[in-house]
Every structure is written in structure tokens, then in C-alpha cells.
Amino acid sequence: MISAPAGYWGGQYRVSTGESVTVFASDSYPVDVRLGQRWADFLATLVHGSEISTVTVLLATPEQISRTCGADAVACYSARGAQLYAPGEDPGSDLSAEAVITHEYGHHVAANRSNAPWRALDWGPKRWASATIC
């Protein structure tokens, strides 16, 4: 069992693919296991491999994200701890929380996939990098 960081609640949630996804939500959100399950299920709909079980999603308020990720950040990902900080609700009328989490989860996938001889985080997938460099 994974324990919640200070100021968060949640844990591991089993998704339809049989994998476990770790989701914690800020104490600023009411405790409701359906919230964590919803985001775990959402991540399972994205293209993924075994790295889905190594990410820790931390749903936080905009103020908490600003303190952790930087003043202008909407979300962020830390490869060092495989931690994805994201809003628990839509950050604006023109930006959904799903879009934000999808983007940040892409960083997690890139950090956990082989893209030899390049680092995926630096260059993106080979097809994109090759098209851009040429």
C-alpha cells in the first residue's frame, strides 16, 4: 500500500486493463474515491505501456500547482519522482483538465520509453525529430 503525501488523500486504483494507477488528491478536495478512480480510468484510455503503473498523479489546486511547478504553470511533471502535478478541475473555460493531464502524461511516457540513440525528453520521437531536423 502506498501512503498519501502530507496534505493529500487517495492511493492506488485498479483500471479496466488490470493495471494499478496511483492518484492522490489535495485535501482541498472532498474525499471521494470516485475522483481518484475517474482519473485512473482516464489515464488508462490514453496510449500507454507498463509505465502507467509507475506514475503518481497529484491533483492539486491552482495555488498548490503554482507553488510546486512555478507561478505561471498549469501543471508539471517531474521525471525524478515520476510525479505528475495537475489540476483536479478544468483550469479555464478553454482548457480542460483532461487535456492538461494528457500533455503531462506524455512527458511520463517519454521519460520511460527507449528512443535510442536520443533521449525522448530532449528530441521527441524519432519520426518527429527526423522531420524537424531535416
Side-chain angles (χ1 to χ4, degrees):
M1 177 167 189
I2 297 175
S3 35
Y8 287 81
W9 57 267
Q12 289 188 319
Y13 298 86
R14 176 93 38 211
V15 295
S16 63
T17 56
E19 296 145 322
S20 293
V21 180
T22 303
V23 180
F24 294 114
S26 164
D27 284 344
S28 297
Y29 297 110
V31 175
D32 182 351
V33 294
R34 293 174 297 182
L35 177 69
Q37 188 67 57
R38 171 185 174 240
W39 287 110
D41 290 340
F42 174 74
L43 282 172
T45 68
L46 302 176
V47 174
H48 69 276
S50 60
E51 75 280 336
I52 194 169
S53 294
T54 63
V55 70
T56 298
V57 176
L58 296 138
L59 303 173
T61 65
E63 295 79 22
Q64 292 168 317
I65 291 171
S66 290
R67 281 195 305 272
T68 302
C69 305
D72 296 326
V74 176
C76 62
Y77 173 74
S78 170
R80 178 173 291 172
Q83 294 179 323
L84 188 162
Y85 290 87
E89 67 279 334
D90 293 345
S93 60
D94 60 342
L95 183 61
S96 70
E98 288 85 358
V100 172
I101 288 177
T102 299
H103 173 90
E104 296 303 331
Y105 186 68
H107 293 297
H108 178 66
V109 171
N112 288 278
R113 295 278 177 102
S114 174
N115 195 42
W118 302 313
R119 290 191 47 210
L121 289 175
D122 292 338
W123 295 96
K126 284 185 193 76
R127 190 176 111 208
W128 179 86
S130 299
T132 302
I133 293 171
C134 295

